Amino acid sequence: MEERRTITVSELNGYVKTLLESDKLLTSVYISGEISNFTNHYSSGHLYMSLKDDNALVRAVMFKGYASKLRFKPANGMKVIVRAKASLYGKDGSFQIYIESMEPDGIGALQMAYEQLKQKLAEEGLFDQSRKKPLPPFPKRVGVITSPTGAAVRDMLNVLGRRYPMAEVIFHPVLVQGEGAKGQIADALRRFNALRAADVILLGRGGGSIEELWAFNEEEVARAVAASDIPIISAVGHETDFTICDFVADMRAPTPSAAAELAVPDQNQLRHRLVQLYRLLKQDINHAVEQQEKRLTVLKSKRCLATPLFYVEEQAMRLDYLTRRFAAAGQQYLARGDRRVTAAAAKLDALSPLKVLSRGYAIATTESGVVKSVNDVAAGDEFVLQVADGNLSCQVLGEK
């Protein structure tokens, strides 16, 4: 009788796990599929998901060490190609794959990361035209942030020195690619702003692949550019290269040399313009002088200026005439007044009580007033009798 061997579930799962992990084909296999059931465990940094096609689905996990190297953010519905190893999760016996690398299917990982960050910052308004700061027309200090080696720094310094040598150039060398580049670039921008070390900043580098230009597509650099109070001209790569930094900056230049030309005016053009302005000013002054000379000539021909005594004499004659008219008018006014006074005096004289008294009449008055009737007094009352040349004290003896 054949002896029966019994194993545990753990032993079974362990055995199958060993078989899977010992298969060379399954230890590093490239799989294409669509992400579903995606979960990002922010506390641990691990990514959990499923990969599926039209007919099947497999569970997958990407541990923190590999997930931290991703340039883009996985999401449900995204088609990807992963490099993974197949194994078994011993606790529940589920078959799953362990992802070591991932890239979007049909588009590069860096390009995907670029598009994702571009959309995110655009939605935040970091590309809005209203945020753009104007460039100073005559900067005193120009900041340059780029690599100390290479054609970019030479081109920018040559153009700045040729076009506008009176501007001071503040150069801050940084790494422009590779590990640590984004931190150095962002730190340089923050330092320029903290010290107010420049009126405008040129930020850029020469051309290269998307990998070589990637430092200027990093979110840390983009946010440092957006936070700058100093206007920034971005000049990364060649004319056909566009980075996130280009969209956030206040102005984008197609090349480093073009950035230098945008940052400062051309001294030769300024000199030419000053000469033009001097000529125009001289013409305007000469024209103004000619106009005033013509006006002075016209004024000199006026009789009042040619023979000023004539004007004085003419005004003196006019004054004499007005004086005579004023005197005549005054005499007429006084004569009319005299006539009015004489007429009024005649009327007053005719109405005067003294005039009546001079004709033999008298006025009798008591303390109560003028005696107009015999009833106003009684026998024995005293009264005053006013006549033309004085007053008489009288007493009533009786009525006749």
Side-chain angles (χ1 to χ4, degrees):
M1 183 176 180
E2 182 179 354
E3 183 180 356
R4 185 175 64 179
R5 183 185 175 194
T6 304
I7 63 174
T8 65
V9 174
S10 297
E11 290 173 331
L12 175 63
N13 287 351
Y15 179 72
V16 174
K17 179 180 176 68
T18 301
L19 289 176
L20 291 172
E21 293 180 352
S22 62
D23 189 323
K24 292 183 179 180
L25 179 62
L26 298 179
T27 56
S28 182
V29 60
Y30 286 90
I31 308 168
S32 65
E34 180 183 320
I35 296 176
S36 64
N37 303 317
F38 178 77
T39 303
N40 185 350
H41 281 255
Y42 295 99
S43 58
S44 66
H46 305 325
L47 305 180
Y48 296 91
M49 69 197 82
S50 299
L51 289 183
K52 67 177 183 177
D53 57 21
D54 294 339
N55 301 309
L57 178 145
V58 62
R59 291 172 57 184
V61 61
M62 190 174 195
F63 292 130
K64 179 180 179 180
Y66 296 113
S68 62
K69 298 177 182 179
L70 287 176
R71 296 284 191 178
F72 67 98
K73 295 180 179 180
N76 287 324
M78 186 180 295
K79 293 184 178 181
V80 294
I81 297 175
V82 302
R83 179 172 60 83
K85 64 179 180 180
S87 185
L88 195 77
Y89 185 54
K91 286 191 176 181
D92 62 6
S94 59
F95 174 75
Q96 64 182 17
I97 58 174
Y98 294 81
I99 300 173
E100 296 176 352
S101 68
M102 178 189 298
E103 64 181 37
D105 189 1
I107 184 173
L110 291 181
Q111 188 63 35
M112 173 65 76
Y114 172 88
E115 296 296 339
Q116 288 180 337
L117 181 59
K118 181 180 175 183
Q119 181 179 357
K120 175 183 176 182
L121 298 183
E123 291 174 352
E124 292 182 23
L126 266 64
F127 301 165
D128 291 354
Q129 194 63 35
S130 60
R131 292 176 50 88
K132 308 298 182 184
K133 296 177 286 295
L135 302 182
F138 305 104
K140 295 180 179 179
R141 294 175 297 176
V142 178
V144 177
I145 301 176
T146 189
S147 170
T149 61
V153 64
R154 291 196 301 271
D155 291 345
M156 285 191 281
L157 294 179
N158 288 338
V159 173
L160 291 173
R162 170 174 53 81
R163 286 175 62 87
Y164 200 64
M166 56 282 294
E168 180 184 3
V169 178
I170 312 297
F171 178 50
H172 194 306
V174 294
L175 290 174
V176 292
Q177 68 183 67
E179 199 68 29
K182 65 177 181 179
Q184 288 190 18
I185 295 171
D187 183 64
L189 288 169
R190 289 189 285 266
R191 188 172 300 176
F192 264 107
N193 278 271
L195 300 175
R196 297 300 301 177
D199 300 314
V200 63
I201 295 174
L202 308 185
L203 173 63
R205 57 153 293 159
S209 64
I210 188 172
E211 290 82 5
E212 292 171 330
L213 302 180
W214 191 252
F216 297 90
N217 288 320
E218 294 283 2
E219 184 171 358
E220 181 181 356
V221 173
R223 294 198 179 278
V225 171
S228 175
D229 292 326
I230 302 173
I232 294 177
I233 302 176
S234 175
V236 182
H238 300 304
E239 188 169 356
T240 56
D241 296 322
F242 280 87
T243 64
I244 298 297
C245 186
D246 292 329
F247 295 109
V248 182
D250 299 292
M251 182 169 289
R252 186 246 178 191
T255 63
S257 297
E261 292 180 356
L262 290 171
V264 296
D266 186 346
Q267 62 174 343
N268 294 325
Q269 292 180 356
L270 288 177
R271 188 177 294 110
H272 178 67
R273 180 59 178 160
L274 286 175
V275 171
Q276 286 183 324
L277 291 175
Y278 171 77
R279 289 174 179 169
L280 290 173
L281 181 61
K282 187 176 180 180
Q283 290 176 1
D284 289 344
I285 291 175
N286 290 336
H287 179 71
V289 171
E290 290 175 0
Q291 294 298 317
Q292 294 303 320
E293 286 178 344
K294 291 179 180 179
R295 186 179 177 211
L296 180 58
T297 301
V298 172
L299 291 175
K300 286 169 62 177
S301 65
K302 297 290 185 181
R303 191 171 184 180
C304 62
L305 293 179
T307 54
L309 289 178
F310 172 80
Y311 181 77
V312 173
E313 292 171 355
E314 185 179 27
Q315 295 303 315
M317 293 173 58
R318 186 166 183 267
L319 180 61
D320 289 341
Y321 171 73
L322 292 176
T323 301
R324 289 194 299 271
R325 287 192 61 186
F326 179 75
Q331 291 176 358
Q332 290 178 4
Y333 180 78
L334 292 175
R336 286 197 298 270
D338 288 343
R339 289 195 294 272
R340 286 197 298 271
V341 170
T342 301
K347 290 181 180 180
L348 289 174
D349 184 64
L351 297 174
S352 174
L354 296 177
K355 196 75 171 176
V356 177
L357 295 177
S358 66
R359 293 198 299 269
Y361 292 94
I363 298 174
T365 58
T366 64
E367 292 180 356
S368 300
V370 177
V371 178
K372 297 179 181 181
S373 170
V374 294
N375 296 324
D376 293 337
V377 294
D381 288 345
E382 293 182 352
F383 62 93
V384 176
L385 186 66
Q386 183 179 357
V387 294
D389 56 353
N391 297 325
L392 299 174
S393 296
C394 303
Q395 187 176 28
V396 179
L397 299 177
E399 179 180 355
K400 288 185 178 182

